[in-house]
Amino acid sequence: MTIQDIKDYLEAELVYGEEFLSREVHNACGCDMMSDVLAFVKDQSVLITGLCNPHVIRTAEMMDIICVVFVRGKTPTEEMIEMAKEREIALLTSNHRMFTACGILYQKGLGGGDLC
Amino acid sequence: MLNDHIHLSYEIVSEDFARAGEAASDVKRVLKKMNVKPDIVRKVAIALYEGEINMVIHSLGGTIDVYIMPNEIQMKLEDIGPGIEDIDKAMEEGYSTASETIRNMGFGAGMGLPNMKRYVDDLDIKSGLGQGTRITMRVIL
Ligand SMILES: Nc1ncnc2c1ncn2[C@@H]1O[C@H](COP(=O)(O)OP(=O)(O)OP(=O)(O)O)[C@@H](O)[C@H]1O
Ligand SMILES: [Mg+2]
């Protein structure tokens, strides 16, 4: 699945990262607590979150996450977009709720990794 | 400490959320530039980020020193208090004293210290109520 696919499946709007749309995503993590995200290490993953502040971008940076999807129509601030540009992280915003967004991607074949 | 090490040093200010994470971010940049293996860089970055955020949220401020040596990376986090009363309890997944305000920022899952332990080869915590907290983490290269 690519970032473009995620954008299509979630009827999401691309906030930043046109040039990264063809990147492959292998795993997903849906979470609002940043340390829960930090417990999950996988390559080429996407973070789906209802939290919308600069710490989300920082967390994604530490994890080498390649794309962040903000649910419930949350829109990142200019500051967050600038941070994402520096770190080459694609940003999407979807009007779906967390559960639905995760469900759609799971149904399309995206996994969440092993049991804890 | 060996002669051929690189020493990075950062001042961490209590409740400075705007800059929280900059130390970990800088260390990550340096390690990447040195062509350290990506999974090692990520381990160091995550552990340091958790430690740095803890200092911003829970402590009155302190310093982070990172030593990059040929065979290992050492991170020393030292703050001036208020300290951790029960370290074993603090190490439990889910234990947190973070306030509602902090939780709304996405912190306070009680996963920071367990994550640090998960990602480093050696974690040592020295603390006590009314003292500062001193954390040493080592990642073997
Ligand atoms: N530097 C510190 N000084 C004082 N207390 C600390 C420090 N670091 C951690 N603690 C205490 O240990 C508890 C557990 O820390 P931990 O990092 O595991 O969770 P958290 O910071 O509360 O939440 P999370 O890290 O998941 O956002 C904290 O809630 C706090 O009470
Ligand atoms: Mg913490």
Side-chain angles (χ1 to χ4, degrees):
Chain A
M1 190 180 295
T2 62
I3 295 176
Q4 175 72 55
D5 292 332
I6 291 178
K7 176 177 177 293
D8 295 342
Y9 297 149
L10 299 182
E11 298 163 83
E13 189 188 316
L14 180 74
V15 179
Y16 166 70
E18 188 81 50
E19 61 267 53
F20 309 133
L21 284 173
S22 60
R23 282 193 183 169
E24 277 288 332
V25 174
H26 293 161
N27 289 278
C29 176
C31 212
D32 289 347
M33 295 301 264
M34 290 303 107
S35 281
D36 275 340
V37 179
L38 290 157
F40 165 96
V41 159
K42 289 281 184 295
D43 281 321
Q44 283 169 272
S45 46
V46 54
L47 169 63
I48 302 143
T49 185
L51 188 73
C52 191
N53 69 34
H55 303 296
V56 175
I57 313 293
R58 282 238 191 261
T59 301
E61 172 193 2
M62 301 307 156
M63 305 282 296
D64 301 318
I65 280 172
I66 62 171
C67 175
V68 179
V69 181
F70 297 97
V71 292
R72 281 180 278 128
K74 302 217 170 153
T75 315
T77 60
E78 273 308 314
E79 182 197 0
M80 291 166 67
I81 297 169
E82 278 311 310
M83 289 173 73
K85 280 183 189 168
E86 279 170 33
R87 293 157 177 84
E88 302 194 346
I89 299 166
L91 302 180
L92 297 174
T93 172
S94 167
N95 282 327
H96 283 297
R97 290 163 201 279
M98 174 74 105
F99 179 79
T100 316
C102 294
I104 290 171
L105 296 182
Y106 189 82
Q107 204 170 35
K108 294 288 185 184
L110 195 61
D114 307 326
L115 287 176
C116 287
Chain B
M1 218 62 72
L2 299 170
N3 280 330
D4 53 349
H5 74 266
I6 294 174
H7 176 198
L8 305 167
S9 191
Y10 308 89
E11 182 112 9
I12 307 303
V13 178
S14 180
E15 290 180 30
D16 185 356
F17 290 101
R19 285 180 53 216
E22 279 186 5
S25 188
D26 191 61
V27 170
K28 183 163 192 189
R29 226 172 0 246
V30 172
L31 293 177
K32 253 182 166 168
K33 226 189 274 165
M34 293 173 70
N35 285 320
V36 174
K37 276 201 313 200
D39 60 317
I40 299 270
V41 176
R42 184 157 57 190
K43 281 185 192 176
V44 170
I46 295 174
L48 196 58
Y49 182 60
E50 291 283 17
E52 180 179 0
I53 296 286
N54 276 355
M55 287 172 77
V56 172
I57 294 177
H58 306 294
S59 93
L60 300 166
T63 50
I64 293 179
D65 288 282
V66 178
Y67 301 91
I68 306 165
M69 295 174 278
N71 303 319
E72 69 172 83
I73 296 168
Q74 239 182 65
M75 298 166 261
K76 289 182 184 291
L77 293 73
E78 206 167 337
D79 67 55
I80 56 170
I84 302 170
E85 187 171 11
D86 185 342
I87 296 176
D88 288 340
K89 188 147 199 166
M91 286 303 301
E92 282 173 16
E93 292 196 358
Y95 176 82
S96 175
T97 58
S99 66
E100 187 64 27
T101 318
I102 297 293
R103 273 173 214 274
N104 288 335
M105 296 175 78
F107 303 114
M111 291 297 287
L113 290 171
N115 277 347
M116 286 155 71
K117 191 177 169 71
R118 193 189 328 263
Y119 294 120
V120 301
D121 294 301
D122 188 47
L123 169 70
D124 179 66
I125 306 178
K126 297 222 167 18
S127 190
L129 209 56
Q131 308 167 25
T133 298
R134 272 188 10 233
I135 297 180
T136 305
M137 295 187 279
R138 294 169 58 217
V139 172
I140 309 297
L141 295 176

